[in-house]
Amino acid sequence: MAQLTPQEEIAVRREMLRLNSKAWGVATGLLGGLALFIATIVLVIKGGENVGQHLGLLSVYLPGYSVTVFGAFLGFVYVFVFGYAIGRLIGWVYNSASAPKS
């Protein structure tokens, strides 16, 4: 195996430490979206007199969201988009902070 020069070793280490911002965005979006989707569906299945009154308050921040099957899908989309943006931001900040200063 060939020996790396110090500059090549630094470049390899830098690339290995970088986060994939898109992957972080998708992962964060899916986790958040699926959590809201599952919580909504569970409450819809559970039913009752006043279904999900606390979760229904999300409609203040997510226009059109309600504790229904349609609301579960709409909430998933909203939270996926927000989660994707937050995940991309986390990756960008991490990569900016860990970049070597030249």
Side-chain angles (χ1 to χ4, degrees):
M1 185 186 272
Q3 188 70 14
L4 296 175
T5 65
Q7 291 83 11
E8 291 172 332
E9 186 173 336
I10 290 171
V12 169
R13 286 178 187 256
R14 183 178 333 140
E15 283 304 310
M16 291 181 71
L17 289 175
R18 291 184 60 82
L19 292 178
N20 186 336
S21 295
K22 290 178 188 174
W24 268 86
V26 170
T28 307
L30 281 175
L31 283 173
L34 284 174
L36 180 60
F37 181 83
I38 291 169
T40 304
I41 292 297
V42 165
L43 287 174
V44 168
I45 291 171
K46 183 179 174 185
E49 189 174 311
N50 193 357
V51 179
Q53 67 184 30
H54 298 302
L55 196 59
L57 292 174
L58 282 175
S59 64
V60 173
Y61 302 105
L62 311 176
Y65 173 78
S66 59
V67 184
T68 61
V69 173
F70 175 74
F73 286 101
L74 185 62
F76 174 83
V77 172
Y78 273 125
V79 176
F80 178 84
V81 170
F82 293 145
Y84 182 82
I86 290 170
R88 287 291 302 252
L89 181 65
I90 290 170
W92 179 77
V93 168
Y94 177 85
N95 290 333
S96 297
S98 67
K101 310 294 185 248
S102 32

